[in-house]
């Protein structure tokens, strides 16, 4: 996803690296190039501006100018700031029982796939996750979750196709869970092509009923700035506790991933990097920064 950004950053820093002694002008020129690279990658304008200002302030500091290898120090500052921009440290899920995780997001973002990926991962960690299909609009989504659940051997609650009351489904699933010997539940909810009030109203009701420890927004990183505004909308509506960025394996420009944390204030907890169940990792800001700068 970050190939083009990585190339542009590489070329911006190459000029600096070539010079033993660097001037303020060298630094300003390089950072101007970096700023353009960020904007080209679809990073939010104010985020990019503030980011560059932070890097610049440190880069122009005395310690850097007087160091033996100033360019290396500047790349290090950039790396650290990028890590901070992405959230600093990985923030793990709150899994204290009864741990209910509600997955929300637009259609096609990857909610159903991610619900199964997360279940598989938690199972691998020795937990006993349960899946609940709460998309009452698309019977295909219920079937899709049931198929994935079977594949990863995780129990799944599926409502009747005629069911229309989401809170009733949630209630029934809690009853079902009692017999499953598990309290860690992942609820896959309905999405829409775009945010609409009816959907939000229903999700709010479900959220109120479940009082989930985690409400994860599944966001398609390839949708760029739109992903960030979607995150804000869902957060206002149901209060998200974290973000799962999907499709980081694609060739979109990646800027949304870089703006997401700052603009929403919510941690990116996981990353989807492919269609397969195992293409799923904890999101580690430092590793991601390293990859971008590699
Ligand atoms: P939902 O409508 O939000 O439930 O989305 P789905 O889970 O049905 O996913 C929509 C499509 O995106 C499917 O074809 C998934 O295989 C695909 N998908 C989900 N996550 C990823 C990812 O991380 N990378 C890629 N390349 N495809 C993904």
């Amino acid at each position: 996803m970050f190939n083009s950004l990585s190339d542009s950053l590489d070329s911006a820093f190459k000029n600096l690296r070539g010079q033993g002694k660097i001037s303020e002008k060298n630094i300003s020129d390089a950072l101007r190039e970096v700023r353009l690279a960020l904007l080209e990658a679809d990073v939010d304008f104010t985020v990019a501006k503030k980011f560059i200002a932070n890097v610049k302030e440190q880069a122009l500091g005395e310690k850097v100018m007087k160091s033996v290898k100033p360019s290396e120090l500047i790349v290090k500052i950039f790396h650290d700031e990028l890590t901070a921009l992405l959230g600093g440290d990985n923030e793990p899920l709150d899994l204290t029982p009864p741990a209910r995780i509600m997955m929300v997001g637009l259609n096609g973002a990857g909610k159903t796939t991610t619900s199964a990926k997360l279940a598989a991962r938690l199972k691998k960690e020795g937990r006993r996750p349960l899946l609940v299909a709460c998309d009452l609009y698309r019977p295909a989504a219920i079937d899709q979750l049931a198929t994935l659940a079977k594949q990863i051997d995780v129990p799944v609650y599926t409502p009747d196709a005629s069911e229309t009351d989401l809170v009733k489904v949630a209630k029934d699933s809690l009853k079902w869970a009692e017999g499953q010997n598990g309290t860690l539940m992942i609820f896959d909810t309905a999405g829409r092509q775009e945010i609409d009030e009816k959907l939000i109203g229903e999700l709010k009701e479900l959220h109120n009923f479940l009082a989930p420890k985690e409400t994860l927004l599944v966001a398609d990183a390839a949708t760029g700035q739109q992903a960030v505004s979607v995150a804000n909308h869902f957060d206002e509506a149901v209060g998200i506790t974290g973000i799962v960025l999907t499709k980081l394996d694609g060739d979109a420009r990646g800027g949304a991933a870089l703006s997401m944390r700052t603009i929403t204030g919510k941690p990116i907890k996981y990353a989807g990097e492919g269609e397969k169940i195992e293409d799923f990792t904890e999101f580690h800001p430092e590793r991601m920064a390293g990859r971008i700068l590699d």
Side-chain angles (χ1 to χ4, degrees):
M1 161 152 289
F2 296 105
N3 289 351
S4 147
L5 176 62
S6 292
D7 290 348
S8 309
L9 292 177
D10 199 40
S11 106
F13 289 131
K14 206 169 248 157
N15 294 335
L16 273 185
R17 279 206 182 95
Q19 297 158 23
K21 204 159 172 49
I22 53 178
S23 66
E24 248 184 77
K25 181 169 185 312
N26 296 141
I27 294 176
S28 294
D29 288 349
L31 289 181
R32 189 169 310 119
E33 236 183 283
V34 170
R35 182 160 159 265
L36 277 179
L38 292 175
L39 293 177
E40 259 162 37
D42 200 22
V43 174
D44 174 85
F45 179 76
T46 45
V47 172
K49 199 171 158 193
K50 184 153 181 289
F51 177 83
I52 292 298
N54 280 346
V55 175
K56 194 166 180 175
E57 192 187 318
Q58 294 173 65
L60 292 178
E62 224 171 279
K63 211 169 116 211
V64 174
M65 301 301 275
K66 285 189 175 156
S67 73
V68 185
K69 281 193 172 162
S71 57
E72 297 302 320
L73 258 183
I74 289 170
V75 175
K76 165 95 174 49
I77 291 168
F78 186 85
H79 173 272
D80 292 349
E81 282 294 320
L82 195 55
T83 303
L85 187 71
L86 290 165
D89 293 317
N90 171 261
E91 286 197 29
L93 295 179
D94 177 358
L95 294 175
T96 47
R100 296 176 190 154
I101 305 173
M102 184 169 156
M103 313 294 280
V104 299
L106 296 184
N107 268 346
K111 271 184 313 301
T112 305
T113 317
T114 303
S115 300
K117 284 176 169 178
L118 181 59
R121 189 183 173 91
L122 294 171
K123 187 180 172 197
K124 220 172 165 184
E125 291 171 2
R127 300 176 194 276
R128 196 178 147 68
L130 305 171
L131 284 162
V132 180
C134 290
D135 186 345
L136 305 183
Y137 288 95
R138 287 193 315 143
I142 298 180
D143 294 344
Q144 188 191 350
L145 190 70
T147 306
L148 290 168
K150 198 167 170 203
Q151 194 185 321
I152 58 175
D153 196 19
V154 163
V156 60
Y157 179 83
T158 51
D160 281 345
S162 58
E163 190 53 76
T164 53
D165 182 345
L166 197 51
V167 172
K168 177 171 182 303
V169 170
K171 261 185 205 159
D172 291 346
S173 76
L174 295 187
K175 221 175 273 154
W176 164 82
E178 284 171 20
Q180 291 293 328
N181 184 28
T183 56
L184 168 50
M185 301 173 77
I186 301 171
F187 297 83
D188 180 27
T189 66
R192 290 279 199 283
Q193 290 314 111
E194 49 189 52
I195 292 188
D196 75 52
E197 289 315 310
K198 184 159 184 273
L199 171 76
I200 292 292
E202 289 171 359
L203 290 178
K204 268 187 184 162
E205 261 184 61
L206 181 65
H207 189 268
N208 285 344
F209 174 75
L210 289 174
K213 293 251 160 56
E214 295 279 355
T215 303
L216 299 180
L217 175 81
V218 180
D220 180 344
T223 53
Q225 292 303 316
Q226 194 213 350
V228 182
S229 83
V230 165
N232 277 335
H233 268 98
F234 273 98
D235 189 32
E236 276 164 28
V238 292
I240 60 175
T241 57
I243 295 162
V244 180
L245 273 183
T246 62
K247 311 191 190 181
L248 284 173
D249 51 305
D251 56 9
R253 293 170 293 168
L258 299 183
S259 310
M260 201 60 126
R261 173 68 208 235
T262 307
I263 296 189
T264 65
K266 305 294 170 178
I268 304 168
K269 299 200 173 190
Y270 290 95
E273 304 195 79
E275 298 200 47
K276 293 206 253 1
I277 289 287
E278 58 275 19
D279 297 329
F280 187 68
T281 54
E282 273 172 2
F283 185 82
H284 287 281
E286 181 164 12
R287 276 181 225 163
M288 187 57 81
R291 241 166 73 180
I292 294 170
L293 273 170
D294 221 8

